[in-house]
Amino acid sequence: MKVKDARGMALELKPHVDAAIRAHGAETYPNECCGAMIGRDGVVTDTLALPNMTDEGPRRRFKVTPNDYRAAEKRAGELGAELLGFYHSHPDHPARPSQYDLDHAWPFFSYVIVSVRDGVSGDMTSWRLREDRSAFDEEDLNKGRP
Amino acid sequence: MPNTIHIPTPLRPFTDKNESVEVNGGTVGELLADLTQKYTGLRKHLYTDDGRLRNFVNVYLNDEDIRYLQKESTPVKPGDALSIVPSVAGGAPTAPADRVGAGLQTGPHAAGAVELSPEEIKRYSRHLIMPEVGMDGQKKLKAGSVLCIGAGGLGSPAAMYLAAAGVGRIGIVDFDVVDYSNLQRQLLHGTSDVGRSKLASAKDRLLELNPNITVDTYETTVTSENALDLFRDYDVILDGTDNFPTRYLVNDACVLTGKPNAYGSIFRFEGQASVFATKEGPCYRCLYPEPPPPGLVPSCAEGGVLGILPGIIGVIQGTEAIKLILGIGEPLIGRFLIYDALKMRFRELKLRKDPDCPVCGTHPTVTKLIDYEQFCGIRPEPAAHTTGAGASVNSANSWETTSVELKKRLDAGDDVFILDVREPNEYQICRIPGSVLIPLGELPRRYAELPADKDIVAHCKMGGRSAKATEFLQSVGFKRVKNLRGGILDWIDKVDPSQPKY
């Protein structure tokens, strides 16, 4: 069964969202930050910064607990919007997904990664899990934005 | 009567956009089976290929995680509601091979997921049959990387076992050449390697043990300039250094790059090991904020080391590196292991992270790498040294002399008193003719035996202990005392190659 997502392979971050993700990544450097992205039709209008609850060392890992996940979904509902995905930072590493990211990915979510080097945010990319879970595909990020 | 299952956002495209679905069954497992039968696309996201619930899929029965109930065999009653709740997790790559996205451009199979060849599956069979390692763990090892600082006593056993265990990338930093005196404990190198670069013989040895790995060599010393760049690409740093400036440098660079330091050190019959610089745990500076005064703690070259000792300590460091990569067991974090080979006893000290630690504390004052030679109080090399053996007497500084100068003076018939401050067993191996032995430790009560009206040249093996002796003698009033730079080893190199070096 092929399941297609209506919004296609593109994500747009409102400028304040883009800024909030970068600021969060810089703030938690050298640790990873994470948060939820809320919006509609492939446009992220709100973020929800979440605590990084990994027990494997926050410099290389992030984890959102089930309770925080539920809070994010609830928040999206309250805003009359949807949970579109999650963002996280890669301190001193490129904005490309790791094997660990792939192993833990959910379908249809957008995974935005911001690279933070020496405390300064750089490249930002967005990724979607391939349907057979074999890989991530990069989606257009902010292509439509003026 | 059916039960409902709450479906999270990312799985709703599989359930015709429904937030909840009605399913039938007597246990949690049966409800999930009914769900995936109705919506087959869900299966691969909820279950692994071998039919286990994925570890980032949480299933709640009402408000309880089924992991704390009876898992999938938890019985359900009418009216019970099931929720599938995602754990969202991810992280930066741990190794170059781990960069999934980077491989995407090269084709459908470049998922970056490391695979094991049939030969590797045979090779690692004793790992693969242990559930704590298994295929997943072996792939972690293959995607993992360890940087060994030094290919000496500690680096040898550590790197050899890491290579054999299948750690995918081993980096080695060293700049030395193999010497006969290394062979008593540095098993990376053999007799035929004497005179070769340690990196060359180490690489040959490791690839002979396991050709499936990558060995990256760096012919350099670790410096404040290159450490951060070197460390960044590795998962674990394995400190096998034998001097304090490098030890502090490695520690600080580990803290600054967020890399765990599998630490070990050895001296005579005693070894120490710990894991420093993890986020939660202490670092080397929490234990020793300040280095000891130079010369106080002798090196292995001066104090000796039981050759088999680094075999134990290096293997402990390697064990910790493997555990860290696999994420299993209790790492040696916050614990300081002390091993006494003569008593054959291990002791363990508890270490705490120091909130006032200058590098890993809450308000660090060391935020970039510093000059560690200076931090450890080691005098910078005088410029006169670079002018070489032909330097005139006038160019030598006031408290040092060289082998060549000393030889000239002796040949010219000058009456120079040569003081050897080594230990008697060292004196038996080689000596400068006419020298008098007073070990450094005995000097404070025996300095009256020295002539006050003669030029004195103090020497030891390499110049460290005799620098202390020179300083001491000057402090008690000897004006005409100088240290022999480079010790008897330099004397043998430049003046008397007939004597054995040790």
Side-chain angles (χ1 to χ4, degrees):
Chain A
M1 183 184 67
K2 266 263 188 241
V3 180
K4 271 286 161 221
D5 183 14
R7 72 180 167 95
M9 289 289 289
L11 189 74
E12 186 189 327
L13 308 179
K14 287 291 181 195
H16 70 275
V17 166
D18 188 299
I21 293 174
R22 289 176 185 280
H24 194 198
E27 187 186 309
T28 59
Y29 180 89
N31 295 334
E32 292 200 10
C33 72
C34 56
M37 301 188 295
I38 295 167
R40 277 201 162 279
D41 304 326
V43 180
V44 182
T45 49
D46 287 276
T47 55
L48 185 63
L50 296 168
N52 182 355
M53 300 300 281
T54 183
D55 42 22
E56 291 179 58
R59 293 192 187 210
R60 278 210 321 249
R61 296 279 182 256
F62 80 91
K63 186 179 168 190
V64 174
T65 63
N67 274 343
D68 286 332
Y69 177 87
R70 286 210 262 204
E73 214 167 65
K74 186 158 165 276
R75 177 89 184 125
E78 287 163 5
L79 292 166
E82 279 177 38
L83 193 55
L84 293 180
F86 288 83
Y87 67 84
H88 70 281
S89 62
H90 278 182
D92 297 321
H93 279 284
R96 307 200 73 92
S98 63
Q99 180 65 37
Y100 192 85
D101 288 333
L102 178 66
D103 291 343
H104 293 79
W106 289 85
F108 301 104
F109 271 160
S110 287
Y111 285 89
V112 164
I113 304 176
V114 60
S115 169
V116 182
R117 289 195 182 268
D118 296 328
V120 181
S121 70
D123 287 349
M124 199 189 275
T125 53
S126 185
W127 303 80
R128 301 275 289 277
L129 180 65
R130 207 174 273 180
E131 205 178 313
D132 61 1
R133 298 194 64 88
S134 66
F136 272 114
D137 289 313
E138 188 167 3
E139 64 178 347
D140 290 338
L141 184 64
N142 293 338
K143 276 281 159 61
R145 208 173 80 190
Chain B
M1 188 180 160
N3 294 85
T4 58
I5 295 188
H6 177 85
I7 308 295
T9 312
L11 298 183
R12 285 176 205 160
F14 295 102
T15 59
D16 305 327
K17 296 271 171 202
N18 287 317
E19 277 184 41
S20 58
V21 171
E22 299 210 322
V23 284
N24 291 293
T27 63
V28 169
E30 286 170 19
L31 296 186
L32 291 171
D34 191 32
L35 175 74
T36 51
Q37 205 149 34
K38 281 189 174 119
Y39 303 102
T40 50
L42 284 175
R43 191 163 176 85
K44 65 177 170 295
H45 296 294
L46 297 181
Y47 291 96
T48 59
D49 291 342
D50 51 359
R52 285 174 299 149
L53 214 48
R54 291 188 183 274
N55 61 5
F56 55 93
V57 174
N58 304 289
V59 179
Y60 282 69
L61 180 63
N62 301 319
D63 266 332
E64 289 249 43
D65 190 332
I66 62 161
R67 288 189 188 97
Y68 305 113
L69 302 171
Q70 295 157 54
K71 301 189 177 141
E72 285 166 83
S73 39
T74 309
V76 288
K77 300 189 300 292
D80 279 348
L82 216 58
S83 306
I84 298 171
V85 186
S87 269
V88 178
T94 54
D98 189 30
R99 284 176 198 144
V100 182
L104 276 179
Q105 293 85 5
T106 52
H109 300 296
V114 292
E115 292 299 336
L116 301 180
S117 69
E119 188 267 318
E120 288 176 289
I121 289 175
K122 264 192 200 157
R123 174 185 288 266
Y124 305 128
S125 132
R126 299 298 185 275
H127 269 167
L128 299 177
I129 57 178
M130 289 198 293
E132 294 83 353
V133 183
M135 279 298 268
D136 288 349
Q138 195 63 49
K139 286 181 183 176
K140 281 188 195 172
L141 291 176
K142 188 171 179 179
S145 56
V146 177
L147 180 66
C148 299
I149 314 295
L154 294 168
S156 283
M160 284 162 69
Y161 273 103
L162 292 175
V167 171
R169 184 163 168 250
I170 298 175
I172 306 177
V173 190
D174 209 306
F175 62 96
D176 227 349
V177 292
V178 180
D179 184 88
Y180 276 105
S181 66
N182 302 147
L183 302 179
Q184 161 252 27
R185 65 197 177 284
Q186 302 182 11
L187 302 194
L188 273 172
H189 322 293
T191 309
S192 61
D193 293 317
V194 170
R196 275 182 96 193
S197 104
K198 283 192 178 177
L199 289 180
S201 64
K203 188 167 184 169
D204 286 354
R205 183 88 182 99
L206 296 178
L207 290 178
E208 165 61 21
L209 282 169
N210 190 347
N212 301 296
I213 62 166
T214 307
V215 178
D216 288 327
T217 55
Y218 307 92
E219 190 146 22
T220 176
T221 46
V222 187
T223 66
S224 299
E225 285 70 43
N226 65 18
L228 298 180
D229 285 337
L230 275 173
F231 287 20
R232 219 163 248 150
D233 275 346
Y234 289 88
D235 296 331
V236 180
I237 311 301
L238 196 142
D239 180 0
T241 56
D242 58 357
N243 64 82
F244 285 98
T246 316
R247 198 167 287 165
Y248 278 93
L249 166 61
V250 169
N251 178 72
D252 291 3
C254 280
V255 173
L256 294 176
T257 52
K259 308 289 181 180
N261 174 4
Y263 166 85
S265 79
I266 46 171
F267 181 65
R268 294 174 55 79
F269 298 97
E270 200 175 272
Q272 307 173 335
S274 190
V275 171
F276 289 123
T278 60
K279 176 73 184 155
E280 314 76 26
C283 78
Y284 185 73
R285 283 202 199 224
C286 297
L287 176 63
Y288 298 117
E290 297 285 336
L296 181 71
V297 180
S299 68
C300 289
E302 291 185 335
V305 62
L306 189 69
I308 201 166
L309 175 69
I312 296 245
I313 301 298
V315 168
I316 290 175
Q317 292 175 268
T319 308
E320 290 305 300
I322 284 177
K323 280 161 58 190
L324 290 167
I325 293 171
L326 291 176
I328 60 171
E330 292 169 39
L332 204 51
I333 297 171
R335 297 187 286 146
F336 195 69
L337 195 64
I338 300 171
Y339 166 68
D340 184 331
L342 288 181
K343 296 200 180 107
M344 193 46 73
R345 221 167 253 160
F346 284 92
R347 282 187 297 141
E348 196 178 302
L349 304 179
K350 271 202 169 52
L351 298 183
R352 276 175 208 278
K353 192 176 172 74
D354 178 3
D356 297 325
C357 173
V359 63
C360 80
T362 40
H363 300 289
T365 51
V366 177
T367 53
K368 57 182 186 350
L369 299 177
I370 57 172
D371 180 343
Y372 291 88
E373 296 272 322
Q374 197 178 48
F375 175 66
C376 293
I378 291 167
R379 232 179 295 263
E381 281 277 286
H385 187 63
T386 56
T387 58
S392 73
V393 177
N394 294 338
S395 71
N397 63 47
S398 60
W399 64 277
E400 269 192 332
T401 187
T402 65
S403 306
V404 174
E405 281 167 14
L406 178 61
K407 172 75 170 146
K408 269 188 200 160
R409 293 195 61 187
L410 294 173
D411 288 349
D414 284 2
D415 192 8
V416 182
F417 186 94
I418 304 170
L419 170 67
D420 187 337
V421 299
R422 297 176 301 156
E423 299 299 317
N425 53 331
E426 296 176 271
Y427 194 72
Q428 283 170 11
I429 302 170
C430 53
R431 69 190 72 164
I432 297 178
S435 59
V436 173
L437 179 74
I438 303 180
L440 178 63
E442 297 176 17
L443 202 53
R445 57 184 167 80
R446 289 182 58 188
Y447 65 83
E449 296 170 27
L450 301 176
D453 56 346
K454 279 189 191 177
D455 286 341
I456 300 173
V457 172
H459 85 86
C460 60
K461 184 184 176 191
M462 293 155 75
R465 282 170 290 175
S466 53
K468 296 284 290 177
T470 304
E471 217 169 302
F472 169 75
L473 291 175
Q474 285 173 345
S475 75
V476 294
F478 286 87
K479 300 266 188 288
R480 298 166 61 184
V481 55
K482 287 191 179 197
N483 180 33
L484 181 66
R485 184 193 295 154
I488 195 164
L489 292 187
D490 191 66
W491 172 268
I492 293 171
D493 278 344
K494 305 230 171 82
V495 177
D496 184 8
S498 71
Q499 296 212 52
K501 283 166 76 172
Y502 63 102

